[in-house]
Structures are given as C-alpha cells and as structure tokens.
Amino acid sequence: MLLNPKKLDKTYPDQETRDIMKKTIDFFENMGLAKCKEDYFSARWYTEFIDFMKKEQIMAKLLTPTGYGENARWDTARVVEFAEILGFYGLTYWYCFQVSALGLGPIWIGKNEAVKQKAARLLKEGAIFGFGLSEKEHGADIYSTDMMLHPQPDGTYKAKGDKYYIGNGNEAALVSTFGKIAGTDDYVFFVVDSKHEKYECTKNIIFNQDYVAEYVLHDYPITAADITDKGREAWDASLNTINIMKFNLGWASIGICEHAFYEAMDHAAGRNLFGKYVTDFTHIRQLFVDAYCRLYAMKAFALRATDYMRSASENDRRYLLYNPMVKMKVTTQGEEVINQLWDIIAAKGFEKDTYFSNAAIDIRALPKLEGTVHVNMALIIKFMPNYFFNPGRFPEIPKRDDARNDDFLFCQGPTKGLGKTRFHDYNIAYGKYDLPNIKIFREQIEVFKEFMMVSMESMNAQSEDIDFLLNVGELFTLVAYGQLILENKEIYSIEDDLIEQIFDFMIRDFSKFSLQIYSKKIATPKQQEICLKMLRRPVVDEARYDRVWKNHVYAMKGAYTMNP
C-alpha cells in the first residue's frame, strides 16, 4: 500500500493515468536529491517543474472536468495520488499544484461558462492559478472581507482591496478572488490576472520556493464577464472549494512520511552503536513499529475517504465528515510519524543533504493550512449525534479507482445543515472482526457513548473551552478513523497482524485523550468517572509484534533510495 516510486506496481484504470504518475516520478528522480535540496535552500522559483507539467499537460488532464478539455477529467483518485507523489519529493511542488486546484474550484463551481472555457484554455497552455480568499487583517474570517467591488455607472465595477497569503500570486493566469459588492451584504467571486497593471503583487510573505503573495487591487476593472458567482452562491463556492481541495493536504502528509520512513530506516539499519545495530534496540523497534502503523493507517483511511468523496451525492454527504478528517487527523498523525522517526535518527534529521531535514519542517505546515485543526474539529463535532445515535441506510460504497469525472464535487449545493447529515452504522465495520484489540476498542467506544449521554446538559457550557472540545472531538474521530480502516481491510487484504497493531496505538490514543478530558477542571465528577473507564491497555502479543516488525517494518530497509 505504501508508495515506492521505483516499484510502481499498482493497477491503473488507464494508461494515461499511469503515464502521468510515472513521468512525474522520473522527473524528480532525474533531478535527484541534491538538485532538489539546492533549489529548496536557494528558494528559487520552480520553473522547470511548471514547464514539465505544461509539456505533459498534467494539470490540464487532472484539473479540467470532463467536457472542458481533451482527455481530461477531475478524478479525485488520481488527483490525490499525484498530490502524494509531489509530497513525497517536496512540499513546495505540491503547493504549486494545490493552490492552482484551489483557484480553479470557484471557476468550475460557478455559472460563468466563458470563464470556464478560458480556464480550460489556460490550463492547456500550462498556466497556474491562485485562490484569493484570506486577508492580512482577518485571516480565515471571510465574513469580514475588505475586498470590495464598487459599482460604476456603466454597470461595471472597480475592485479595491488586498489579499494575503495567496499561493502563486506572482504568476497566476487567473486568481479567483472573494469579496463583497460595496454598499451591500452580497458576497462575490471574480477572477483577476496577476499581470494586469491594476494588480500589484507586493511581496512574497515567506522565504521558500513557493510564492505566497500579498496582492492589492487598485481600481481593477471588473465586468460581468469576470464574475463567477454572487450572493449566497459565492459564499457556498468558497466553502465548497475548500471542501474539495483541503483533502489533498492529508495526501501530501502521507507522501512526506513515506519518503522520510525509507530514509530513517536505511540510516538506522546501517548504523552500529555499542556493538548493536540501531534497529536491534527495543525502544527503536517500538518507535519504528508505531510510526509504520500510524503511516499505514493514514493511507488506509485516506484511501477509503477518497471512495466516499467520489461517491458523494445530494443524498449521500458522508464525505463532509471524512474529508475534514483527512485534512485534520491525517496531517496531525503525519506530525506524529515524523516526530517518532526523528527520535530514532536524532541529529541525522538536521543534516542538509537529507530529505528528512525538509520533511521535519514541511510536515508542520499541513495541519495549519486550509483551516486549522481547531476549525476542522469544530466542523466535525457537528456530526457526532447522528453518527452515534441516528444511523441511516446506504448502499455499500465500493473501491473507487474507476476512470470517471467526479461531477458532484462542483455542484455540492448549500453549505448548511451539517447537523442533519446521516451516516451508516459504524458497528457494521467493527462487527466483522473478532480480534482482541478491536474488541477492546469497541468497549472504549461504548463507554464514550455513555460519556456523551451524561454530558448532554453540561456540554454547551463546556464547549466554550476549546481544549475540552478538541479532546472530545479526538475521541470521536478515532472511532470514524478505525471504521474506515476496517472497511479497507477486506478491500486491500490487510492482514490481521497489522490491523491488530494499528488498533494497539489507537487504544493507547483513546486512553490518552480520555485522560486529558478527565484532567480538565471543568469535567464533572460523572464525566471523570466515565473517563477513567475509557483507560484501557491493548492486548500484548509478542509473536504478532515480531511478525509486523519482520514482515512489514524492517522489510522497508533498502527498498527505496532517491537518486543522488
């Protein structure tokens, strides 16, 4: 399941998709690690990468919906695999692709056919795009946008205002810009050209290969031909775009962790200290096993969440839970994986010639982009009542790696009523397997449901304490996390040993968050009592642990090294 770029042995729905992935891998392997590092440290703009995507028509094929381009489709399964590969080689390359996808979101969601045709043409020409949402003074508080379209007597507008932290803002052919129509409460999305004389790109906010711009519009002329949406539809377009694109952050995190794991294993396995190889030390093996299981779980969950994204419809909006979990849970698990690997390789992780020194920095960014962990957790909490106490009936979702356009993503509809979203019964997945650690985890879930029942009166007031709310949300997300991993057990033939070792860390994580709630000063005596009941010890099976180490973890030794 884990990516090895030198053994790309998975089955693809068509040759073109395989070619995109293989050619991208070859591009980076031909560049080599030393050149990637040189460019990273010099913070030079990645012209060669953009030229490569133009030559191979990669963004034109991946980011153009069917009907607007030749041999094109917006297929989440291949978008996320491409994102994973870019994360594997360098987050800077992923970022250019990611913000282009964000910039295209309001265009494909909107109703302006002329702008859609223009975007399709620009994609074919190799252009990149930007997403002008956040502002320096307001951050993610888009209610308070200062970007204004001022109506003119001839029916046109002049745009005034600034945007901050906007990727590709230096070169984007179109920047989808969010604002309001002056004198009204009407939101609006419109497109601007970064090379227009009334568009001022003031600076790159960060020191990096990426260009994260502040830009100012000085009476930039806007006509109806530039507007993609107005009013409530513009507001929905902003949130629905993020719904689609923040999914890719988890995949970048997976790619980073995969590459870092290969490098860490090769270093540790080849290093002899005090007469023993580093991988023979008990605590090192435990760190490696935990890091591997967390990484494997990240990918197993994200793959299954992709199936739900691709199967979403007006009557099946379960993706609205799993999507922010890929953004929030997978990216924070990525930080945990890198932390554990860094504890293994220690000072080696600082060395300038390693991929790991990039990974240790870049992995921190992903939980903080497209809405913080706090924002996404607040969203996730809204689904708890229906998830646990009011399940619905849905047809079983198959593995979705078919070559189809994901039409629904660009017609998601209003972004309200999240609390009404229904889910299938999580017990269906958990009930299929009679394994010791899954049994313990299910017992923890039942106690957590008891916690929720006794918290109905106190939770409104307690939710004012964001840290308390986050820990409750962490328990909830662990349940859904385990559910989708188990759904993929059969699809990907994941063996019992690995599943049991994954639930080993999940039981420990469940206990950790329960203890944190217990320790909060606002926890009621009854809540404290129940939290203690959630503290459980996973089943220890040395034979199973040794098999996972030998057959999965240590098997990563020598499996991949990037070309120098």
Side-chain angles (χ1 to χ4, degrees), residues 32 59 67-68 98 126-128 131 191 207 263 270 292 295 328 496 500:
M59 289 212 296
Y68 291 95
Q98 167 69 3
I128 58 175
F131 184 57
V191 294
F207 183 74
E263 201 173 65
Y292 182 91
L295 173 55
M328 179 275 296
D496 289 354
E500 276 289 272

Side-chain angles (χ1 to χ4, degrees), residues 252-516:
S253 186
I254 290 165
I256 290 171
C257 291
E258 287 168 327
H259 195 157
F261 197 102
Y262 287 118
E263 201 173 65
M265 174 56 77
D266 282 358
H267 171 71
R271 188 169 175 80
N272 193 295
L273 298 175
F274 311 110
K276 296 174 67 174
Y277 283 102
V278 171
T279 46
D280 290 335
F281 288 97
T282 302
H283 70 291
I284 296 297
R285 287 193 178 186
Q286 181 65 65
L287 286 166
F288 264 131
V289 169
D290 258 21
Y292 182 91
C293 289
R294 288 183 188 277
L295 173 55
Y296 200 98
M298 288 161 61
K299 192 160 185 180
F301 175 82
L303 282 167
R304 189 61 177 148
T306 302
D307 297 337
Y308 285 97
M309 276 277 285
R310 300 201 67 200
S311 303
S313 68
E314 186 177 355
N315 298 316
D316 184 354
R317 303 174 74 86
R318 289 173 287 177
Y319 75 104
L320 291 172
L321 167 61
Y322 308 136
N323 183 327
M325 284 183 61
V326 171
K327 185 270 174 271
M328 179 275 296
K329 182 67 177 176
V330 171
T331 60
T332 53
Q333 284 291 288
E335 285 191 288
E336 185 69 21
V337 169
I338 295 299
N339 288 343
Q340 291 179 317
L341 295 176
W342 206 349
D343 283 344
I344 294 167
I345 67 172
K348 185 72 176 179
F350 291 100
E351 293 185 13
K352 67 179 182 179
D353 296 330
T354 64
Y355 173 84
F356 197 96
S357 62
N358 288 26
I361 297 169
D362 293 343
I363 200 72
R364 314 296 165 193
L366 294 161
K368 300 168 182 64
L369 298 173
E370 323 316 353
T372 63
V373 170
H374 305 77
V375 169
N376 281 276
M377 188 63 82
L379 170 65
I380 286 167
I381 290 286
K382 296 179 181 179
F383 300 117
M384 280 177 57
N386 274 351
Y387 181 89
F388 284 107
F389 302 109
N390 188 26
R393 291 183 177 274
F394 296 89
E396 186 171 343
I397 298 296
K399 179 182 178 182
R400 290 295 312 276
D401 57 357
D402 47 306
R404 294 186 184 179
N405 193 69
D406 295 340
D407 298 334
F408 179 74
L409 296 183
F410 301 106
C411 55
Q412 295 175 66
T415 54
K416 56 185 179 180
L418 297 182
K420 297 178 182 178
T421 306
R422 301 284 294 281
F423 302 89
H424 59 300
D425 190 346
Y426 62 89
N427 287 299
I428 297 171
Y430 283 102
K432 285 184 177 181
Y433 304 105
D434 186 25
L435 296 171
N437 279 333
I438 294 177
K439 284 183 178 179
I440 293 173
F441 194 75
R442 291 187 73 184
E443 291 167 5
Q444 288 178 305
I445 294 171
E446 289 306 308
V447 179
F448 180 51
K449 289 176 69 175
E450 182 184 346
F451 174 89
M452 287 186 284
M453 293 299 293
V454 304
S455 301
M456 293 177 67
E457 292 184 5
S458 60
M459 190 62 79
N460 281 340
Q462 289 172 325
S463 62
E464 295 296 317
D465 184 332
I466 299 299
D467 187 56
F468 183 91
L469 190 68
L470 282 173
N471 283 296
V472 172
E474 289 283 6
L475 294 177
F476 170 34
T477 56
L478 277 168
V479 180
Y481 201 61
Q483 176 194 353
L484 266 61
I485 291 167
L486 288 177
E487 288 183 10
N488 254 347
K489 183 183 187 308
E490 184 175 349
I491 294 173
Y492 288 91
S493 301
I494 305 172
E495 61 189 59
D496 289 354
D497 282 351
L498 191 51
I499 286 291
E500 276 289 272
Q501 202 62 44
I502 286 171
F503 274 86
D504 181 290
F505 84 72
M506 290 182 63
I507 290 167
R508 287 183 277 124
D509 284 358
F510 209 96
S511 299
K512 177 181 71 174
F513 294 121
S514 301
L515 184 60
Q516 289 178 2

Side-chain angles (χ1 to χ4, degrees), residues 145-216:
T145 179
D146 288 332
M147 177 64 73
M148 294 291 167
L149 286 190
H150 294 271
Q152 303 300 300
D154 62 356
T156 64
Y157 303 88
K158 288 187 176 179
K160 296 181 183 179
D162 66 283
K163 292 290 180 178
Y164 198 77
Y165 226 85
I166 310 304
N168 295 348
N170 58 326
E171 293 290 340
L174 294 177
V175 184
S176 293
T177 303
F178 182 80
K180 280 185 176 180
I181 297 175
T184 75
D185 291 326
D186 287 340
Y187 296 105
V188 62
F189 248 122
F190 57 96
V191 294
V192 297
D193 180 353
S194 69
K195 299 306 178 185
H196 193 281
E197 63 180 358
K198 297 296 185 180
Y199 178 107
E200 180 189 5
C201 181
T202 62
K203 62 178 177 180
N204 190 351
I205 296 161
I206 64 172
F207 183 74
N208 196 280
Q209 283 183 267
D210 306 312
Y211 201 104
V212 184
E214 177 182 33
Y215 71 84
V216 184

Side-chain angles (χ1 to χ4, degrees), residues 35-274:
K35 182 64 165 66
C36 285
K37 296 290 295 193
E38 178 186 335
D39 289 352
Y40 182 87
F41 287 127
S42 68
R44 64 180 292 276
W45 181 246
Y46 26 59
T47 304
E48 297 91 340
F49 175 59
I50 295 172
D51 289 345
F52 160 73
M53 289 198 294
K54 175 182 178 179
K55 176 188 173 186
E56 301 298 338
Q57 292 287 285
I58 288 177
M59 289 212 296
K61 293 173 181 176
L62 295 183
L63 301 183
T64 307
T66 297
Y68 291 95
E70 184 180 351
N71 295 325
R73 68 180 187 270
W74 193 295
D75 171 344
T76 302
R78 63 183 196 167
V79 168
V80 297
E81 182 174 355
F82 187 70
E84 178 188 8
I85 291 171
L86 296 185
F88 190 97
Y89 287 106
L91 190 67
T92 54
Y93 307 105
W94 169 88
Y95 185 76
C96 178
F97 174 75
Q98 167 69 3
V99 292
S100 287
L102 279 163
L104 288 162
I107 294 172
W108 300 133
I109 290 171
K111 296 181 177 59
N112 190 324
E113 284 297 320
V115 173
K116 293 181 183 183
Q117 295 294 339
K118 182 178 182 180
R121 174 176 55 80
L122 289 168
L123 279 163
K124 193 168 180 60
E125 293 171 3
I128 58 175
F129 298 81
F131 184 57
L133 189 66
S134 64
E135 298 176 7
K136 186 175 184 179
E137 293 78 12
H138 309 297
D141 177 13
I142 59 176
Y143 291 98
S144 304
T145 179
D146 288 332
M147 177 64 73
M148 294 291 167
L149 286 190
H150 294 271
Q152 303 300 300
D154 62 356
T156 64
Y157 303 88
K158 288 187 176 179
K160 296 181 183 179
D162 66 283
K163 292 290 180 178
Y164 198 77
Y165 226 85
I166 310 304
N168 295 348
N170 58 326
E171 293 290 340
L174 294 177
V175 184
S176 293
T177 303
F178 182 80
K180 280 185 176 180
I181 297 175
T184 75
D185 291 326
D186 287 340
Y187 296 105
V188 62
F189 248 122
F190 57 96
V191 294
V192 297
D193 180 353
S194 69
K195 299 306 178 185
H196 193 281
E197 63 180 358
K198 297 296 185 180
Y199 178 107
E200 180 189 5
C201 181
T202 62
K203 62 178 177 180
N204 190 351
I205 296 161
I206 64 172
F207 183 74
N208 196 280
Q209 283 183 267
D210 306 312
Y211 201 104
V212 184
E214 177 182 33
Y215 71 84
V216 184
L217 301 184
H218 301 284
D219 288 336
Y220 189 112
I222 296 293
T223 70
D226 305 307
I227 294 173
T228 56
D229 264 320
K230 288 182 180 179
R232 175 75 202 198
E233 290 174 334
W235 173 266
D236 289 337
S238 69
L239 298 184
N240 284 332
T241 293
I242 295 169
N243 274 345
I244 304 168
M245 309 309 170
K246 68 183 176 185
F247 197 73
N248 297 337
L249 278 83
W251 285 95
S253 186
I254 290 165
I256 290 171
C257 291
E258 287 168 327
H259 195 157
F261 197 102
Y262 287 118
E263 201 173 65
M265 174 56 77
D266 282 358
H267 171 71
R271 188 169 175 80
N272 193 295
L273 298 175
F274 311 110

